[in-house]
């Protein structure tokens, strides 16, 4: 009877070992989720917690984000298929956060997204940082929400690169 129990025990240990070593690793939220083909922000102002571009109040508040993939990837950018504004990557899947759903055509390995601070504030209903004196907008700061992009390549592959922040100068 003990031999039978030992056989069952060995079988269960082997079965447990096989099941643990054959599991596919799921995405863990603490990992960096970098796309297969890297996307860079070619007009990056700085790298704080994410690539950051700058705009200025005196310059009209134009927001320009230039996204680029390496020429060595063998791929080209067909379009930015979706732009969202939010605080997490889930913004791309939340209809209320989708800022642009009309495709923005790419040009080879580059695509340019254009917007303004006025469009940002109208969409988010957030105000820009203001000075305590006379209520004028004068403080330099990061916008309260980030830009998230869904990029479609020429082969139909979809890439979601790291979000982009916007620094607003006086």
């Amino acid at each position: 009877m003990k031999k039978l129990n030992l056989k069952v025990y060995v079988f269960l240990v082997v079965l447990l070992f096989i099941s643990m070593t054959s599991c596919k690793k799921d995405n863990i939220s603490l990992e960096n989720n970098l796309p297969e083909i890297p996307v860079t922000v070619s007009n990056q102002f700085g790298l704080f917690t994410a690539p950051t571009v700058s705009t200025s109040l005196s310059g009209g508040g134009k927001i320009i984000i230039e996204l680029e993939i390496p020429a060595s990837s063998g791929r080209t950018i067909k379009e930015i298929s979706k732009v969202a504004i939010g605080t997490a990557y889930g913004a791309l899947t939340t209809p209320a956060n989708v800022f642009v759903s009309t495709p923005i055509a790419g040009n080879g390995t580059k695509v340019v997204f254009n917007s303004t601070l006025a469009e940002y504030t109208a969409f988010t209903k957030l105000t820009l940082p203001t000075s305590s004196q006379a209520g004028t907008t004068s403080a330099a700061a990061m916008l309260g929400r980030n830009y998230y992009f869904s990029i479609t390549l020429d082969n139909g592959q979809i890439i979601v690169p790291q979000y982009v922040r916007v620094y607003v100068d006086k």
Side-chain angles (χ1 to χ4, degrees):
M1 179 126 177
K2 284 190 177 190
K3 286 184 181 182
L4 180 61
N5 287 338
L6 181 62
K7 288 180 182 181
V8 170
Y9 176 74
V10 170
F11 175 74
L12 289 176
V13 169
V14 170
L15 185 63
L16 180 64
F17 177 76
I18 290 171
S19 66
M20 291 181 71
T21 58
S22 66
C23 291
K24 181 182 176 203
K25 184 177 175 187
D26 290 331
N27 182 21
I28 299 173
S29 62
L30 297 176
E31 291 181 344
N32 288 330
N33 291 320
L34 300 175
E36 215 176 283
I37 298 175
V39 179
T40 57
V41 179
S42 55
N43 66 327
Q44 177 176 305
F45 163 74
L47 181 62
F48 299 97
T49 56
T52 304
V53 297
S54 68
T55 187
S56 68
L57 297 171
S58 60
K62 294 178 185 174
I63 298 171
I64 301 169
I65 302 172
E66 298 172 359
L67 302 169
E68 196 168 357
I69 61 173
S72 62
S73 70
R75 303 266 53 105
T76 58
I77 296 175
K78 177 182 176 187
E79 64 192 18
I80 294 175
S81 48
K82 195 184 303 183
V83 180
I85 297 177
T87 58
Y89 284 99
L92 284 166
T93 60
T94 308
N97 293 335
V98 175
F99 182 58
V100 176
S101 58
T102 305
I104 301 167
N107 184 11
T109 58
K110 190 173 185 176
V111 64
V112 179
F113 169 74
N114 292 291
S115 189
T116 64
L117 289 173
E119 292 172 338
Y120 170 86
T121 56
F123 181 78
T124 63
K125 309 294 187 252
L126 297 174
T127 58
L128 297 175
T130 57
S131 170
S132 59
Q133 297 176 339
T136 60
T137 303
S138 64
M142 296 285 185
L143 290 181
R145 302 286 186 271
N146 305 313
Y147 285 86
Y148 296 86
F149 298 92
S150 178
I151 299 172
T152 304
L153 301 180
D154 60 341
N155 65 350
Q157 180 182 359
I158 295 174
I159 294 178
V160 177
Q162 189 172 13
Y163 61 90
V164 178
R165 299 183 78 190
V166 178
Y167 176 78
V168 182
D169 202 355
K170 301 175 196 172

